[in-house]
Every structure is written in C-alpha cells, then in structure tokens.
Amino acid sequence: MFAEHHDLIHEFPEHKARIHDLKMSDNHFARLFKEYDELDHELRRIQQNIETPSDEVTEELKKKRLHLKDEMFRMIIAE
C-alpha cells in the first residue's frame, strides 16, 4: 500500500509561497509545521506497515495532525 502525502504543500499548493514565508518569519508556525511534518511522516510509516501501533494510537495521531493542519491553515489565510 502506498502512503498518501498529506504534507502542507500537497494539501495547499495554492499557498506554497505563504507557507514558506510563515516558516521563515513566524517561529510558532515553524514549530507547528515541524510537528505536523513529523506526524505525517509517522503516519506514512504506519500506512506502509513499517510501524504497527494500535488503531487507537493511529486515530489519535490522525486527529492531532488534523488539528495542526487546521491551526496552520488559519494562520496561512490570515493576512
């Protein structure tokens, strides 16, 4: 099974420049971005059966990733 890409550039390609600007200028956004990227990487490893946590753990990781994505999206569209 191939893991889906959920990194922010795949999720919001129309905001690529804004994401880059925020990563460079906003420490809070940069921290959230790093945490999101790490979660996304971990979830891809789970999808590829490299890691095999319980379903509950996987669902919690997905919820956390979604929460981070929502928070970052609010920052991306705020100008």
Side-chain angles (χ1 to χ4, degrees), residues 22-36 72 75:
L22 284 168
K23 281 178 23 185
M24 296 295 117
S25 65
D26 187 317
N27 289 334
H28 179 64
F29 185 89
R31 183 183 58 78
L32 294 175
F33 184 90
K34 183 178 183 210
E35 187 176 350
Y36 179 90
M72 287 187 293
M75 295 173 78

Side-chain angles (χ1 to χ4, degrees), residues 18-48:
R18 176 78 172 144
I19 291 168
H20 176 74
D21 291 345
L22 284 168
K23 281 178 23 185
M24 296 295 117
S25 65
D26 187 317
N27 289 334
H28 179 64
F29 185 89
R31 183 183 58 78
L32 294 175
F33 184 90
K34 183 178 183 210
E35 187 176 350
Y36 179 90
D37 192 52
E38 289 169 356
L39 275 171
D40 188 53
H41 179 73
E42 186 173 356
L43 284 162
R44 278 192 308 233
R45 291 177 56 85
I46 291 168
Q47 288 176 335
Q48 295 169 338

Side-chain angles (χ1 to χ4, degrees), residues 43 47 57-67:
L43 284 162
Q47 288 176 335
V57 169
T58 302
E59 288 305 311
E60 284 303 314
L61 292 173
K62 287 179 179 181
K63 287 177 186 177
K64 188 171 184 179
R65 180 179 64 184
L66 181 59
H67 173 76

